[in-house]
Amino acid sequence: MQPFMNKIYLKRKITPRVVNGHPWIFNNEVEKIEGDVQGGEIGEVFTYDKKFVGKGYINPKSQILVRLLTRNKTEEINEQFFQKKISECWEYRKKLGYTENCRLVFGEADSLPQLIIDKFNDYFVIQTLALGIDVWKPAIVNAINTVFKPKGIYERNDVPVRELEGLPQQKGFLSAPFDTKIIINENGLKFYVDIENGQKTGYFLDQQDNRRAIQHIVKGADVLGAFTYTGTFEIHAAHYGAKSVLGLDISANAVQQANANAALNNVQDICRFEAANAFDVLKQWGKDGRQYDVVMLDPPAFTKSRETIQKAITGYKEINLRGMKLVKPGGFLVTSSCTNLVDPDLFRQIIDMAAKDTRRKIRQVIFQAQAGDHPIIRGMDNTEYLKFLIVQVQ
């Protein structure tokens, strides 16, 4: 514990947002700083009239100067703090029933800004996406080892956002080396997870509840899936009684993994995957008059910045329009967006525009967000990022 802690005073007009719960303080929102601030240090934050707000880590090189870790004046930020927080995160997930695979820590939503920890059974993948949390990586690893006694811990910090914090991109073992190609169980199925080279942390846990939501609409259905990645939605469809399932992904490597997952679950006779550009193929098949009982779309984020939001809206409308054209009257469209800049209302508007342009009437079956192990905090828009929608297309 340093004898003197840096003190950060907020500008008057920004004080309510931070006092009301938002953990980020941008550098242009600070009135003054007392102390010689070094990146990664802990500082105390006060209102303009010197009332204590909280403690957080500082990075003068980042647009976000401070990210708050606690609002308890007596709480020290040390190894015990991280062990306590990770234990609390685990207790919360267990209460919700996420025990085998889960997002154990979801950054700001768990009051551990820019820390991501995914639990794949006995293996853990971590991302420390800001300097102030990266400094505590050894303490975080110790906490995981203490709480879980895991078989392995892997770091997936090969993400460009770290460079905004002056951090290098890197990945590797934070435990004794282990085979990074593992198998997990989800909803009674098995899936290969490539911790080292898969997208993000190796697997998209945020859709695990949504994958169950298709179980009734796919029975006896001919199903088309686009942007399948490793085929999780499609293999669920086959498992839930689909007559035939075809999955498309632009990545030959993803298709190879998807076919391996189909074989792992003995649905390779029902479920097959092909490498293709979904935008082109769906357009052509629409012209050819192909029809499916269920069309599933799970595209990647179309934008990460507000400057290109219009491009994302156009992209989502286009792909959903093409998907709808391929749905038999009375069939179903299953569609998702993981772009947090496209809020739930805007996403529904995009789907409505696509329906209008295809002259099809749609009826909402289900509309939900990511799985509950990725908590949503009101007022923190970036925590409510996934939109999952099933509509009947008439």
mmCIF file with all atom_site columns, all heavy atoms in Angstrom, residues 83-99 102-105 110 119 147-148:
data_model
loop_
_atom_site.group_PDB
_atom_site.id
_atom_site.type_symbol
_atom_site.label_atom_id
_atom_site.label_alt_id
_atom_site.label_comp_id
_atom_site.label_asym_id
_atom_site.label_entity_id
_atom_site.label_seq_id
_atom_site.pdbx_PDB_ins_code
_atom_site.Cartn_x
_atom_site.Cartn_y
_atom_site.Cartn_z
_atom_site.occupancy
_atom_site.B_iso_or_equiv
_atom_site.pdbx_formal_charge
_atom_site.auth_seq_id
_atom_site.auth_comp_id
_atom_site.auth_asym_id
_atom_site.auth_atom_id
_atom_site.pdbx_PDB_model_num
ATOM 1   N N   . GLN A 1 83  ? -9.020  -12.089 -5.047  1.00 0.00 ? 83  GLN A N   1
ATOM 2   C CA  . GLN A 1 83  ? -9.511  -13.420 -4.677  1.00 0.00 ? 83  GLN A CA  1
ATOM 3   C C   . GLN A 1 83  ? -10.969 -13.340 -4.226  1.00 0.00 ? 83  GLN A C   1
ATOM 4   O O   . GLN A 1 83  ? -11.814 -14.160 -4.618  1.00 0.00 ? 83  GLN A O   1
ATOM 5   C CB  . GLN A 1 83  ? -8.647  -14.019 -3.566  1.00 0.00 ? 83  GLN A CB  1
ATOM 6   C CG  . GLN A 1 83  ? -9.010  -15.479 -3.298  1.00 0.00 ? 83  GLN A CG  1
ATOM 7   C CD  . GLN A 1 83  ? -8.049  -16.135 -2.331  1.00 0.00 ? 83  GLN A CD  1
ATOM 8   O OE1 . GLN A 1 83  ? -6.842  -15.912 -2.398  1.00 0.00 ? 83  GLN A OE1 1
ATOM 9   N NE2 . GLN A 1 83  ? -8.574  -16.930 -1.414  1.00 0.00 ? 83  GLN A NE2 1
ATOM 10  N N   . LYS A 1 84  ? -11.289 -12.321 -3.441  1.00 0.00 ? 84  LYS A N   1
ATOM 11  C CA  . LYS A 1 84  ? -12.666 -12.132 -2.950  1.00 0.00 ? 84  LYS A CA  1
ATOM 12  C C   . LYS A 1 84  ? -13.612 -11.881 -4.132  1.00 0.00 ? 84  LYS A C   1
ATOM 13  O O   . LYS A 1 84  ? -14.697 -12.458 -4.214  1.00 0.00 ? 84  LYS A O   1
ATOM 14  C CB  . LYS A 1 84  ? -12.682 -10.958 -1.971  1.00 0.00 ? 84  LYS A CB  1
ATOM 15  C CG  . LYS A 1 84  ? -14.066 -10.569 -1.461  1.00 0.00 ? 84  LYS A CG  1
ATOM 16  C CD  . LYS A 1 84  ? -13.938 -9.504  -0.365  1.00 0.00 ? 84  LYS A CD  1
ATOM 17  C CE  . LYS A 1 84  ? -15.262 -8.833  -0.049  1.00 0.00 ? 84  LYS A CE  1
ATOM 18  N NZ  . LYS A 1 84  ? -15.628 -7.769  -0.977  1.00 0.00 ? 84  LYS A NZ  1
ATOM 19  N N   . LYS A 1 85  ? -13.194 -11.024 -5.060  1.00 0.00 ? 85  LYS A N   1
ATOM 20  C CA  . LYS A 1 85  ? -14.058 -10.680 -6.201  1.00 0.00 ? 85  LYS A CA  1
ATOM 21  C C   . LYS A 1 85  ? -14.323 -11.906 -7.084  1.00 0.00 ? 85  LYS A C   1
ATOM 22  O O   . LYS A 1 85  ? -15.450 -12.136 -7.527  1.00 0.00 ? 85  LYS A O   1
ATOM 23  C CB  . LYS A 1 85  ? -13.412 -9.573  -7.052  1.00 0.00 ? 85  LYS A CB  1
ATOM 24  C CG  . LYS A 1 85  ? -13.315 -8.229  -6.370  1.00 0.00 ? 85  LYS A CG  1
ATOM 25  C CD  . LYS A 1 85  ? -14.656 -7.580  -6.106  1.00 0.00 ? 85  LYS A CD  1
ATOM 26  C CE  . LYS A 1 85  ? -15.276 -6.982  -7.328  1.00 0.00 ? 85  LYS A CE  1
ATOM 27  N NZ  . LYS A 1 85  ? -16.540 -6.266  -6.994  1.00 0.00 ? 85  LYS A NZ  1
ATOM 28  N N   . ILE A 1 86  ? -13.275 -12.682 -7.332  1.00 0.00 ? 86  ILE A N   1
ATOM 29  C CA  . ILE A 1 86  ? -13.442 -13.860 -8.204  1.00 0.00 ? 86  ILE A CA  1
ATOM 30  C C   . ILE A 1 86  ? -14.301 -14.919 -7.506  1.00 0.00 ? 86  ILE A C   1
ATOM 31  O O   . ILE A 1 86  ? -15.123 -15.575 -8.144  1.00 0.00 ? 86  ILE A O   1
ATOM 32  C CB  . ILE A 1 86  ? -12.067 -14.366 -8.680  1.00 0.00 ? 86  ILE A CB  1
ATOM 33  C CG1 . ILE A 1 86  ? -11.554 -13.408 -9.766  1.00 0.00 ? 86  ILE A CG1 1
ATOM 34  C CG2 . ILE A 1 86  ? -12.127 -15.803 -9.198  1.00 0.00 ? 86  ILE A CG2 1
ATOM 35  C CD1 . ILE A 1 86  ? -10.114 -13.536 -10.143 1.00 0.00 ? 86  ILE A CD1 1
ATOM 36  N N   . SER A 1 87  ? -14.149 -15.051 -6.189  1.00 0.00 ? 87  SER A N   1
ATOM 37  C CA  . SER A 1 87  ? -15.031 -15.966 -5.424  1.00 0.00 ? 87  SER A CA  1
ATOM 38  C C   . SER A 1 87  ? -16.482 -15.519 -5.525  1.00 0.00 ? 87  SER A C   1
ATOM 39  O O   . SER A 1 87  ? -17.392 -16.343 -5.703  1.00 0.00 ? 87  SER A O   1
ATOM 40  C CB  . SER A 1 87  ? -14.627 -15.992 -3.946  1.00 0.00 ? 87  SER A CB  1
ATOM 41  O OG  . SER A 1 87  ? -13.361 -16.569 -3.798  1.00 0.00 ? 87  SER A OG  1
ATOM 42  N N   . GLU A 1 88  ? -16.720 -14.204 -5.438  1.00 0.00 ? 88  GLU A N   1
ATOM 43  C CA  . GLU A 1 88  ? -18.089 -13.668 -5.537  1.00 0.00 ? 88  GLU A CA  1
ATOM 44  C C   . GLU A 1 88  ? -18.678 -13.923 -6.928  1.00 0.00 ? 88  GLU A C   1
ATOM 45  O O   . GLU A 1 88  ? -19.854 -14.279 -7.060  1.00 0.00 ? 88  GLU A O   1
ATOM 46  C CB  . GLU A 1 88  ? -18.094 -12.164 -5.233  1.00 0.00 ? 88  GLU A CB  1
ATOM 47  C CG  . GLU A 1 88  ? -17.907 -11.832 -3.768  1.00 0.00 ? 88  GLU A CG  1
ATOM 48  C CD  . GLU A 1 88  ? -17.651 -10.346 -3.513  1.00 0.00 ? 88  GLU A CD  1
ATOM 49  O OE1 . GLU A 1 88  ? -17.583 -9.563  -4.496  1.00 0.00 ? 88  GLU A OE1 1
ATOM 50  O OE2 . GLU A 1 88  ? -17.520 -9.963  -2.336  1.00 0.00 ? 88  GLU A OE2 1
ATOM 51  N N   . CYS A 1 89  ? -17.860 -13.741 -7.952  1.00 0.00 ? 89  CYS A N   1
ATOM 52  C CA  . CYS A 1 89  ? -18.306 -13.998 -9.326  1.00 0.00 ? 89  CYS A CA  1
ATOM 53  C C   . CYS A 1 89  ? -18.712 -15.460 -9.495  1.00 0.00 ? 89  CYS A C   1
ATOM 54  O O   . CYS A 1 89  ? -19.723 -15.760 -10.141 1.00 0.00 ? 89  CYS A O   1
ATOM 55  C CB  . CYS A 1 89  ? -17.200 -13.665 -10.324 1.00 0.00 ? 89  CYS A CB  1
ATOM 56  S SG  . CYS A 1 89  ? -16.874 -11.904 -10.486 1.00 0.00 ? 89  CYS A SG  1
ATOM 57  N N   . TRP A 1 90  ? -17.947 -16.359 -8.906  1.00 0.00 ? 90  TRP A N   1
ATOM 58  C CA  . TRP A 1 90  ? -18.227 -17.798 -9.013  1.00 0.00 ? 90  TRP A CA  1
ATOM 59  C C   . TRP A 1 90  ? -19.515 -18.145 -8.273  1.00 0.00 ? 90  TRP A C   1
ATOM 60  O O   . TRP A 1 90  ? -20.347 -18.905 -8.776  1.00 0.00 ? 90  TRP A O   1
ATOM 61  C CB  . TRP A 1 90  ? -17.034 -18.580 -8.489  1.00 0.00 ? 90  TRP A CB  1
ATOM 62  C CG  . TRP A 1 90  ? -17.153 -20.078 -8.500  1.00 0.00 ? 90  TRP A CG  1
ATOM 63  C CD1 . TRP A 1 90  ? -16.783 -20.918 -7.498  1.00 0.00 ? 90  TRP A CD1 1
ATOM 64  C CD2 . TRP A 1 90  ? -17.624 -20.928 -9.559  1.00 0.00 ? 90  TRP A CD2 1
ATOM 65  N NE1 . TRP A 1 90  ? -17.007 -22.229 -7.854  1.00 0.00 ? 90  TRP A NE1 1
ATOM 66  C CE2 . TRP A 1 90  ? -17.521 -22.260 -9.123  1.00 0.00 ? 90  TRP A CE2 1
ATOM 67  C CE3 . TRP A 1 90  ? -18.130 -20.681 -10.834 1.00 0.00 ? 90  TRP A CE3 1
ATOM 68  C CZ2 . TRP A 1 90  ? -17.912 -23.354 -9.899  1.00 0.00 ? 90  TRP A CZ2 1
ATOM 69  C CZ3 . TRP A 1 90  ? -18.527 -21.761 -11.620 1.00 0.00 ? 90  TRP A CZ3 1
ATOM 70  C CH2 . TRP A 1 90  ? -18.413 -23.080 -11.158 1.00 0.00 ? 90  TRP A CH2 1
ATOM 71  N N   . GLU A 1 91  ? -19.702 -17.593 -7.081  1.00 0.00 ? 91  GLU A N   1
ATOM 72  C CA  . GLU A 1 91  ? -20.927 -17.857 -6.310  1.00 0.00 ? 91  GLU A CA  1
ATOM 73  C C   . GLU A 1 91  ? -22.151 -17.394 -7.092  1.00 0.00 ? 91  GLU A C   1
ATOM 74  O O   . GLU A 1 91  ? -23.183 -18.070 -7.104  1.00 0.00 ? 91  GLU A O   1
ATOM 75  C CB  . GLU A 1 91  ? -20.871 -17.154 -4.938  1.00 0.00 ? 91  GLU A CB  1
ATOM 76  C CG  . GLU A 1 91  ? -19.877 -17.768 -3.968  1.00 0.00 ? 91  GLU A CG  1
ATOM 77  C CD  . GLU A 1 91  ? -20.063 -19.270 -3.779  1.00 0.00 ? 91  GLU A CD  1
ATOM 78  O OE1 . GLU A 1 91  ? -21.210 -19.702 -3.562  1.00 0.00 ? 91  GLU A OE1 1
ATOM 79  O OE2 . GLU A 1 91  ? -19.063 -20.020 -3.871  1.00 0.00 ? 91  GLU A OE2 1
ATOM 80  N N   . TYR A 1 92  ? -22.039 -16.243 -7.747  1.00 0.00 ? 92  TYR A N   1
ATOM 81  C CA  . TYR A 1 92  ? -23.159 -15.708 -8.535  1.00 0.00 ? 92  TYR A CA  1
ATOM 82  C C   . TYR A 1 92  ? -23.495 -16.648 -9.691  1.00 0.00 ? 92  TYR A C   1
ATOM 83  O O   . TYR A 1 92  ? -24.660 -16.974 -9.924  1.00 0.00 ? 92  TYR A O   1
ATOM 84  C CB  . TYR A 1 92  ? -22.796 -14.312 -9.056  1.00 0.00 ? 92  TYR A CB  1
ATOM 85  C CG  . TYR A 1 92  ? -23.874 -13.681 -9.910  1.00 0.00 ? 92  TYR A CG  1
ATOM 86  C CD1 . TYR A 1 92  ? -25.044 -13.200 -9.333  1.00 0.00 ? 92  TYR A CD1 1
ATOM 87  C CD2 . TYR A 1 92  ? -23.722 -13.560 -11.295 1.00 0.00 ? 92  TYR A CD2 1
ATOM 88  C CE1 . TYR A 1 92  ? -26.042 -12.613 -10.111 1.00 0.00 ? 92  TYR A CE1 1
ATOM 89  C CE2 . TYR A 1 92  ? -24.715 -12.980 -12.081 1.00 0.00 ? 92  TYR A CE2 1
ATOM 90  C CZ  . TYR A 1 92  ? -25.869 -12.509 -11.480 1.00 0.00 ? 92  TYR A CZ  1
ATOM 91  O OH  . TYR A 1 92  ? -26.848 -11.938 -12.253 1.00 0.00 ? 92  TYR A OH  1
ATOM 92  N N   . ARG A 1 93  ? -22.484 -17.102 -10.429 1.00 0.00 ? 93  ARG A N   1
ATOM 93  C CA  . ARG A 1 93  ? -22.736 -18.012 -11.569 1.00 0.00 ? 93  ARG A CA  1
ATOM 94  C C   . ARG A 1 93  ? -23.359 -19.321 -11.086 1.00 0.00 ? 93  ARG A C   1
ATOM 95  O O   . ARG A 1 93  ? -24.264 -19.840 -11.735 1.00 0.00 ? 93  ARG A O   1
ATOM 96  C CB  . ARG A 1 93  ? -21.437 -18.292 -12.334 1.00 0.00 ? 93  ARG A CB  1
ATOM 97  C CG  . ARG A 1 93  ? -21.153 -17.317 -13.480 1.00 0.00 ? 93  ARG A CG  1
ATOM 98  C CD  . ARG A 1 93  ? -20.840 -15.962 -13.008 1.00 0.00 ? 93  ARG A CD  1
ATOM 99  N NE  . ARG A 1 93  ? -20.628 -14.981 -14.065 1.00 0.00 ? 93  ARG A NE  1
ATOM 100 C CZ  . ARG A 1 93  ? -20.369 -13.718 -13.813 1.00 0.00 ? 93  ARG A CZ  1
ATOM 101 N NH1 . ARG A 1 93  ? -20.280 -13.276 -12.570 1.00 0.00 ? 93  ARG A NH1 1
ATOM 102 N NH2 . ARG A 1 93  ? -20.203 -12.847 -14.806 1.00 0.00 ? 93  ARG A NH2 1
ATOM 103 N N   . LYS A 1 94  ? -22.869 -19.832 -9.979  1.00 0.00 ? 94  LYS A N   1
ATOM 104 C CA  . LYS A 1 94  ? -23.423 -21.095 -9.465  1.00 0.00 ? 94  LYS A CA  1
ATOM 105 C C   . LYS A 1 94  ? -24.898 -20.949 -9.111  1.00 0.00 ? 94  LYS A C   1
ATOM 106 O O   . LYS A 1 94  ? -25.703 -21.840 -9.383  1.00 0.00 ? 94  LYS A O   1
ATOM 107 C CB  . LYS A 1 94  ? -22.624 -21.571 -8.240  1.00 0.00 ? 94  LYS A CB  1
ATOM 108 C CG  . LYS A 1 94  ? -21.275 -22.179 -8.607  1.00 0.00 ? 94  LYS A CG  1
ATOM 109 C CD  . LYS A 1 94  ? -20.650 -22.937 -7.448  1.00 0.00 ? 94  LYS A CD  1
ATOM 110 C CE  . LYS A 1 94  ? -20.184 -22.029 -6.351  1.00 0.00 ? 94  LYS A CE  1
ATOM 111 N NZ  . LYS A 1 94  ? -19.428 -22.750 -5.299  1.00 0.00 ? 94  LYS A NZ  1
ATOM 112 N N   . LYS A 1 95  ? -25.261 -19.798 -8.547  1.00 0.00 ? 95  LYS A N   1
ATOM 113 C CA  . LYS A 1 95  ? -26.667 -19.560 -8.197  1.00 0.00 ? 95  LYS A CA  1
ATOM 114 C C   . LYS A 1 95  ? -27.556 -19.559 -9.438  1.00 0.00 ? 95  LYS A C   1
ATOM 115 O O   . LYS A 1 95  ? -28.742 -19.884 -9.361  1.00 0.00 ? 95  LYS A O   1
ATOM 116 C CB  . LYS A 1 95  ? -26.813 -18.231 -7.459  1.00 0.00 ? 95  LYS A CB  1
ATOM 117 C CG  . LYS A 1 95  ? -26.457 -18.337 -5.987  1.00 0.00 ? 95  LYS A CG  1
ATOM 118 C CD  . LYS A 1 95  ? -26.536 -17.004 -5.280  1.00 0.00 ? 95  LYS A CD  1
ATOM 119 C CE  . LYS A 1 95  ? -26.115 -17.162 -3.824  1.00 0.00 ? 95  LYS A CE  1
ATOM 120 N NZ  . LYS A 1 95  ? -25.795 -15.887 -3.204  1.00 0.00 ? 95  LYS A NZ  1
ATOM 121 N N   . LEU A 1 96  ? -27.010 -19.166 -10.571 1.00 0.00 ? 96  LEU A N   1
ATOM 122 C CA  . LEU A 1 96  ? -27.780 -19.119 -11.818 1.00 0.00 ? 96  LEU A CA  1
ATOM 123 C C   . LEU A 1 96  ? -27.713 -20.446 -12.585 1.00 0.00 ? 96  LEU A C   1
ATOM 124 O O   . LEU A 1 96  ? -28.342 -20.586 -13.631 1.00 0.00 ? 96  LEU A O   1
ATOM 125 C CB  . LEU A 1 96  ? -27.249 -17.999 -12.721 1.00 0.00 ? 96  LEU A CB  1
ATOM 126 C CG  . LEU A 1 96  ? -27.302 -16.576 -12.154 1.00 0.00 ? 96  LEU A CG  1
ATOM 127 C CD1 . LEU A 1 96  ? -26.835 -15.586 -13.205 1.00 0.00 ? 96  LEU A CD1 1
ATOM 128 C CD2 . LEU A 1 96  ? -28.694 -16.208 -11.683 1.00 0.00 ? 96  LEU A CD2 1
ATOM 129 N N   . GLY A 1 97  ? -26.907 -21.385 -12.075 1.00 0.00 ? 97  GLY A N   1
ATOM 130 C CA  . GLY A 1 97  ? -26.821 -22.696 -12.723 1.00 0.00 ? 97  GLY A CA  1
ATOM 131 C C   . GLY A 1 97  ? -25.705 -22.830 -13.747 1.00 0.00 ? 97  GLY A C   1
ATOM 132 O O   . GLY A 1 97  ? -25.645 -23.819 -14.469 1.00 0.00 ? 97  GLY A O   1
ATOM 133 N N   . TYR A 1 98  ? -24.812 -21.841 -13.823 1.00 0.00 ? 98  TYR A N   1
ATOM 134 C CA  . TYR A 1 98  ? -23.682 -21.925 -14.768 1.00 0.00 ? 98  TYR A CA  1
ATOM 135 C C   . TYR A 1 98  ? -22.477 -22.479 -14.020 1.00 0.00 ? 98  TYR A C   1
ATOM 136 O O   . TYR A 1 98  ? -21.704 -21.734 -13.424 1.00 0.00 ? 98  TYR A O   1
ATOM 137 C CB  . TYR A 1 98  ? -23.353 -20.541 -15.342 1.00 0.00 ? 98  TYR A CB  1
ATOM 138 C CG  . TYR A 1 98  ? -24.474 -19.935 -16.139 1.00 0.00 ? 98  TYR A CG  1
ATOM 139 C CD1 . TYR A 1 98  ? -25.325 -19.000 -15.566 1.00 0.00 ? 98  TYR A CD1 1
ATOM 140 C CD2 . TYR A 1 98  ? -24.696 -20.299 -17.465 1.00 0.00 ? 98  TYR A CD2 1
ATOM 141 C CE1 . TYR A 1 98  ? -26.366 -18.437 -16.300 1.00 0.00 ? 98  TYR A CE1 1
ATOM 142 C CE2 . TYR A 1 98  ? -25.733 -19.749 -18.200 1.00 0.00 ? 98  TYR A CE2 1
ATOM 143 C CZ  . TYR A 1 98  ? -26.573 -18.823 -17.610 1.00 0.00 ? 98  TYR A CZ  1
ATOM 144 O OH  . TYR A 1 98  ? -27.599 -18.276 -18.328 1.00 0.00 ? 98  TYR A OH  1
ATOM 145 N N   . THR A 1 99  ? -22.331 -23.790 -14.052 1.00 0.00 ? 99  THR A N   1
ATOM 146 C CA  . THR A 1 99  ? -21.261 -24.399 -13.255 1.00 0.00 ? 99  THR A CA  1
ATOM 147 C C   . THR A 1 99  ? -20.157 -25.010 -14.104 1.00 0.00 ? 99  THR A C   1
ATOM 148 O O   . THR A 1 99  ? -18.994 -24.961 -13.737 1.00 0.00 ? 99  THR A O   1
ATOM 149 C CB  . THR A 1 99  ? -21.834 -25.485 -12.326 1.00 0.00 ? 99  THR A CB  1
ATOM 150 O OG1 . THR A 1 99  ? -22.626 -26.380 -13.109 1.00 0.00 ? 99  THR A OG1 1
ATOM 151 C CG2 . THR A 1 99  ? -22.689 -24.874 -11.230 1.00 0.00 ? 99  THR A CG2 1
ATOM 152 N N   . CYS A 1 102 ? -18.765 -21.170 -18.282 1.00 0.00 ? 102 CYS A N   1
ATOM 153 C CA  . CYS A 1 102 ? -19.407 -19.871 -18.080 1.00 0.00 ? 102 CYS A CA  1
ATOM 154 C C   . CYS A 1 102 ? -18.393 -18.753 -18.274 1.00 0.00 ? 102 CYS A C   1
ATOM 155 O O   . CYS A 1 102 ? -17.189 -18.969 -18.234 1.00 0.00 ? 102 CYS A O   1
ATOM 156 C CB  . CYS A 1 102 ? -20.005 -19.761 -16.672 1.00 0.00 ? 102 CYS A CB  1
ATOM 157 S SG  . CYS A 1 102 ? -18.797 -19.799 -15.330 1.00 0.00 ? 102 CYS A SG  1
ATOM 158 N N   . ARG A 1 103 ? -18.932 -17.564 -18.516 1.00 0.00 ? 103 ARG A N   1
ATOM 159 C CA  . ARG A 1 103 ? -18.096 -16.373 -18.382 1.00 0.00 ? 103 ARG A CA  1
ATOM 160 C C   . ARG A 1 103 ? -18.047 -16.070 -16.900 1.00 0.00 ? 103 ARG A C   1
ATOM 161 O O   . ARG A 1 103 ? -19.023 -15.602 -16.307 1.00 0.00 ? 103 ARG A O   1
ATOM 162 C CB  . ARG A 1 103 ? -18.665 -15.199 -19.180 1.00 0.00 ? 103 ARG A CB  1
ATOM 163 C CG  . ARG A 1 103 ? -17.850 -13.925 -18.953 1.00 0.00 ? 103 ARG A CG  1
ATOM 164 C CD  . ARG A 1 103 ? -17.730 -13.063 -20.182 1.00 0.00 ? 103 ARG A CD  1
ATOM 165 N NE  . ARG A 1 103 ? -16.940 -13.731 -21.223 1.00 0.00 ? 103 ARG A NE  1
ATOM 166 C CZ  . ARG A 1 103 ? -16.651 -13.172 -22.402 1.00 0.00 ? 103 ARG A CZ  1
ATOM 167 N NH1 . ARG A 1 103 ? -17.071 -11.968 -22.692 1.00 0.00 ? 103 ARG A NH1 1
ATOM 168 N NH2 . ARG A 1 103 ? -15.938 -13.829 -23.299 1.00 0.00 ? 103 ARG A NH2 1
ATOM 169 N N   . LEU A 1 104 ? -16.933 -16.362 -16.299 1.00 0.00 ? 104 LEU A N   1
ATOM 170 C CA  . LEU A 1 104 ? -16.770 -16.198 -14.855 1.00 0.00 ? 104 LEU A CA  1
ATOM 171 C C   . LEU A 1 104 ? -16.694 -14.723 -14.474 1.00 0.00 ? 104 LEU A C   1
ATOM 172 O O   . LEU A 1 104 ? -17.246 -14.300 -13.457 1.00 0.00 ? 104 LEU A O   1
ATOM 173 C CB  . LEU A 1 104 ? -15.507 -16.945 -14.400 1.00 0.00 ? 104 LEU A CB  1
ATOM 174 C CG  . LEU A 1 104 ? -15.119 -16.794 -12.939 1.00 0.00 ? 104 LEU A CG  1
ATOM 175 C CD1 . LEU A 1 104 ? -16.138 -17.475 -12.035 1.00 0.00 ? 104 LEU A CD1 1
ATOM 176 C CD2 . LEU A 1 104 ? -13.723 -17.360 -12.696 1.00 0.00 ? 104 LEU A CD2 1
ATOM 177 N N   . VAL A 1 105 ? -15.974 -13.945 -15.284 1.00 0.00 ? 105 VAL A N   1
ATOM 178 C CA  . VAL A 1 105 ? -15.868 -12.498 -15.037 1.00 0.00 ? 105 VAL A CA  1
ATOM 179 C C   . VAL A 1 105 ? -16.173 -11.773 -16.340 1.00 0.00 ? 105 VAL A C   1
ATOM 180 O O   . VAL A 1 105 ? -15.544 -12.037 -17.367 1.00 0.00 ? 105 VAL A O   1
ATOM 181 C CB  . VAL A 1 105 ? -14.458 -12.105 -14.533 1.00 0.00 ? 105 VAL A CB  1
ATOM 182 C CG1 . VAL A 1 105 ? -14.354 -10.585 -14.365 1.00 0.00 ? 105 VAL A CG1 1
ATOM 183 C CG2 . VAL A 1 105 ? -14.141 -12.797 -13.208 1.00 0.00 ? 105 VAL A CG2 1
ATOM 184 N N   . ASP A 1 110 ? -19.061 -7.021  -13.638 1.00 0.00 ? 110 ASP A N   1
ATOM 185 C CA  . ASP A 1 110 ? -18.661 -7.670  -12.386 1.00 0.00 ? 110 ASP A CA  1
ATOM 186 C C   . ASP A 1 110 ? -17.739 -6.774  -11.561 1.00 0.00 ? 110 ASP A C   1
ATOM 187 O O   . ASP A 1 110 ? -17.030 -7.258  -10.667 1.00 0.00 ? 110 ASP A O   1
ATOM 188 C CB  . ASP A 1 110 ? -17.972 -9.007  -12.686 1.00 0.00 ? 110 ASP A CB  1
ATOM 189 C CG  . ASP A 1 110 ? -18.968 -10.090 -13.078 1.00 0.00 ? 110 ASP A CG  1
ATOM 190 O OD1 . ASP A 1 110 ? -19.887 -10.358 -12.286 1.00 0.00 ? 110 ASP A OD1 1
ATOM 191 O OD2 . ASP A 1 110 ? -18.849 -10.639 -14.186 1.00 0.00 ? 110 ASP A OD2 1
ATOM 192 N N   . LYS A 1 119 ? -14.562 -19.765 -18.220 1.00 0.00 ? 119 LYS A N   1
ATOM 193 C CA  . LYS A 1 119 ? -14.310 -21.070 -17.599 1.00 0.00 ? 119 LYS A CA  1
ATOM 194 C C   . LYS A 1 119 ? -14.837 -22.155 -18.529 1.00 0.00 ? 119 LYS A C   1
ATOM 195 O O   . LYS A 1 119 ? -16.032 -22.191 -18.833 1.00 0.00 ? 119 LYS A O   1
ATOM 196 C CB  . LYS A 1 119 ? -15.025 -21.132 -16.244 1.00 0.00 ? 119 LYS A CB  1
ATOM 197 C CG  . LYS A 1 119 ? -14.958 -22.482 -15.546 1.00 0.00 ? 119 LYS A CG  1
ATOM 198 C CD  . LYS A 1 119 ? -15.788 -22.471 -14.262 1.00 0.00 ? 119 LYS A CD  1
ATOM 199 C CE  . LYS A 1 119 ? -15.648 -23.768 -13.482 1.00 0.00 ? 119 LYS A CE  1
ATOM 200 N NZ  . LYS A 1 119 ? -16.200 -24.952 -14.164 1.00 0.00 ? 119 LYS A NZ  1
ATOM 201 N N   . VAL A 1 147 ? -9.172  -20.595 -5.877  1.00 0.00 ? 147 VAL A N   1
ATOM 202 C CA  . VAL A 1 147 ? -10.620 -20.871 -5.847  1.00 0.00 ? 147 VAL A CA  1
ATOM 203 C C   . VAL A 1 147 ? -10.962 -22.172 -6.577  1.00 0.00 ? 147 VAL A C   1
ATOM 204 O O   . VAL A 1 147 ? -11.861 -22.902 -6.173  1.00 0.00 ? 147 VAL A O   1
ATOM 205 C CB  . VAL A 1 147 ? -11.406 -19.675 -6.439  1.00 0.00 ? 147 VAL A CB  1
ATOM 206 C CG1 . VAL A 1 147 ? -12.907 -19.980 -6.522  1.00 0.00 ? 147 VAL A CG1 1
ATOM 207 C CG2 . VAL A 1 147 ? -11.173 -18.407 -5.613  1.00 0.00 ? 147 VAL A CG2 1
ATOM 208 N N   . PHE A 1 148 ? -10.229 -22.492 -7.655  1.00 0.00 ? 148 PHE A N   1
ATOM 209 C CA  . PHE A 1 148 ? -10.649 -23.600 -8.533  1.00 0.00 ? 148 PHE A CA  1
ATOM 210 C C   . PHE A 1 148 ? -9.701  -24.796 -8.634  1.00 0.00 ? 148 PHE A C   1
ATOM 211 O O   . PHE A 1 148 ? -10.126 -25.862 -9.048  1.00 0.00 ? 148 PHE A O   1
ATOM 212 C CB  . PHE A 1 148 ? -10.868 -23.073 -9.961  1.00 0.00 ? 148 PHE A CB  1
ATOM 213 C CG  . PHE A 1 148 ? -11.986 -22.094 -10.073 1.00 0.00 ? 148 PHE A CG  1
ATOM 214 C CD1 . PHE A 1 148 ? -11.733 -20.734 -10.063 1.00 0.00 ? 148 PHE A CD1 1
ATOM 215 C CD2 . PHE A 1 148 ? -13.297 -22.531 -10.177 1.00 0.00 ? 148 PHE A CD2 1
ATOM 216 C CE1 . PHE A 1 148 ? -12.770 -19.824 -10.169 1.00 0.00 ? 148 PHE A CE1 1
ATOM 217 C CE2 . PHE A 1 148 ? -14.341 -21.625 -10.284 1.00 0.00 ? 148 PHE A CE2 1
ATOM 218 C CZ  . PHE A 1 148 ? -14.074 -20.269 -10.277 1.00 0.00 ? 148 PHE A CZ  1
#
